[in-house]
């Protein structure tokens, strides 16, 4: 392996993509003693936003486990950051950029993992909205919903750089192609219509895209082994797959082992000419592992009850909130009328609308909300989008708490 093959390709000053990569919607405040780079500032802004904090209570695969060591969404994004750093550092790419992308790539993930995402997508489809997918939702969160106080204490939008925003929405897609190359153009990211429509803009974005798969496949197997949900026949199947690259016993298979081998192979095989890639043997293995996980873990019978419960929670909250739509005055009245019965639901959703919509602009002026208004509450479709984003922002526990308000007297 040759270290630093991508030194000339890194997204840094002097690179042809540098200026486009560090562009922001608007200027951020700066301090006289600022020592951070543009991408390091993005990393810090993501780290301190509330959507990042909520990831610690969002399901990765296994919900409501009594085992404290089972992966949650916040651990997953840090695994992706770690794997991305190892690869980018060895290849000579910008590790600050991969770190920021990795930390923010799942900020728009719904509660209850991919089950919650699927439920929300179906609910929105029933309302004629067909564009919900978590990568796009993550971009929407960092562009329009997440805020931090500025030097005057007013809440303002994160306003991240283009390269980080691009890496967030472009992390989708499976790694089943021979190699990944970045695209050349800095397109309008809001116009991306479907997952995997475009390759990432930077080599660093390509790294995070693959690191995401390296990170979750091995860790999900490790969690399944810890919970003892795999049969002997399934364990034998897993061992026979891994034997292709390394002779190990089933009990030796871990996230560390799988990640290490995939990282080393990726670093060995990748180059600016060949792209970011695995060897054919490792490409086939990662896809076999993915198929194994879907068949024996993600579709495990013990997850069916959890999925039904998640659907009940999400549908109940969605339908209740949709019932409150009338006019801008009517919504406010519904929220007041239901405050006694559903104090947390009505109160938190009223706060959401006050912060992000034009429901009461005069009252909003008295707050510290300096972020952009994104919902025109007089339009029903905007109200539905507000409901969807509000639900997708929740932790599992908060969604369950609000559901409990609906069913208790």
């Amino acid at each position: 392996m040759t270290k630093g093959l991508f030194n000339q390709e890194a997204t840094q000053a002097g690179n042809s993509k540098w200026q486009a990569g560090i562009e922001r919607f608007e200027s951020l405040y700066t301090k006289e003693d600022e020592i951070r780079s543009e991408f390091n500032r993005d990393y810090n802004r993501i780290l301190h936003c509330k959507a990042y904090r909520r990831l610690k209570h969002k399901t990765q695969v296994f919900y409501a486990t009594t085992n404290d060591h089972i992966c949650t969404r916040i651990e997953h994004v840090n695994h992706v950051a770690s794997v991305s750093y190892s690869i980018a550092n060895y290849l000579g790419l910008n590790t600050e950029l991969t770190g920021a992308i990795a930390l923010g790539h799942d900020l728009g993930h719904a509660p209850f993992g991919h089950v919650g995402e699927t439920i929300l997508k179906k609910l929105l489809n029933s309302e004629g909205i067909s564009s919900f997918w978590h990568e796009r939702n993550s971009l929407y969160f960092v562009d329009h919903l997440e805020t931090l106080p500025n030097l005057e204490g007013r809440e303002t939008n994160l306003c991240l750089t283009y390269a980080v925003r691009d890496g967030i929405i472009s992390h989708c897609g499976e790694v089943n192609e021979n190699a990944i190359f970045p695209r050349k153009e800095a397109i309008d990211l809001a116009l991306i219509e479907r997952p995997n429509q475009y390759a990432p803009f930077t080599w660093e974005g390509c790294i995070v895209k693959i690191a995401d798969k390296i990170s979750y496949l091995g860790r999900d197997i490790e969690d399944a082994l810890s919970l003892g949900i795999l049969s002997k026949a399934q364990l034998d199947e897993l061992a026979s797959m891994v034997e292709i690259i390394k002779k190990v016993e089933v009990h030796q298979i871990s996230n560390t082992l799988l990640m290490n081998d995939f990282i080393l192979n990726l670093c060995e095989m990748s180059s600016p000419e060949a792209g970011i890639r695995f060897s054919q043997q490792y490409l086939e293995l990662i896809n076999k592992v993915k198929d194994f996980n879907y068949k024996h873990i993600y579709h495990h019978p013990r997850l069916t009850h959890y999925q039904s419960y998640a659907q009940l929670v999400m549908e109940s909250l969605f339908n209740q909130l949709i019932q409150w739509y009338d006019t801008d005055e009517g919504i406010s009245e519904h929220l007041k009328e239901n405050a006694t019965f559903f104090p947390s639901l009505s109160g938190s959703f009223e706060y959401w609308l006050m912060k992000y919509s034009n429901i009461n602009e005069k009252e909003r002026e008295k707050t510290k909300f300096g972020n952009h208004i994104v919902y025109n509450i007089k339009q029903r479709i905007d109200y539905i989008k507000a409901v969807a984003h509000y639900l997708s922002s929740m932790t599992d526990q908060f969604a369950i708490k609000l559901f409990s308000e609906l069913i208790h007297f």
Side-chain angles (χ1 to χ4, degrees), residues 26 206 209 250 315:
E26 53 195 45
C206 295
K209 178 175 180 176
V250 170
E315 286 185 354

Side-chain angles (χ1 to χ4, degrees), residues 24 61 65 97 103 128 141 147 177 237 262-263 283 403 405:
R24 302 179 187 271
V61 174
T65 173
L97 176 52
L103 209 66
F141 263 72
T147 62
E177 54 261 62
E237 179 184 348
F262 282 124
I263 289 170
L283 178 63
F403 176 71
E405 284 190 344

Side-chain angles (χ1 to χ4, degrees), residues 22-35:
I22 62 172
E23 283 186 2
R24 302 179 187 271
F25 281 135
E26 53 195 45
S27 299
L28 286 180
Y29 66 86
T30 56
K31 301 176 182 178
E32 292 182 2
D33 56 352
E34 182 63 70
I35 62 172

Side-chain angles (χ1 to χ4, degrees), residues 54 179 342 374 383-384 386 397:
R54 293 193 296 269
F342 316 123
V374 292
Y383 179 83
I384 295 171
Q397 289 91 328

Side-chain angles (χ1 to χ4, degrees), residues 50-69:
K50 291 181 178 178
Y52 174 76
R53 302 178 198 179
R54 293 193 296 269
L55 293 178
K56 65 178 175 286
H57 293 305
K58 291 200 178 198
T59 292
Q60 176 67 12
V61 174
F62 299 103
Y63 163 74
T65 173
T66 56
N67 187 328
D68 291 336
H69 303 134

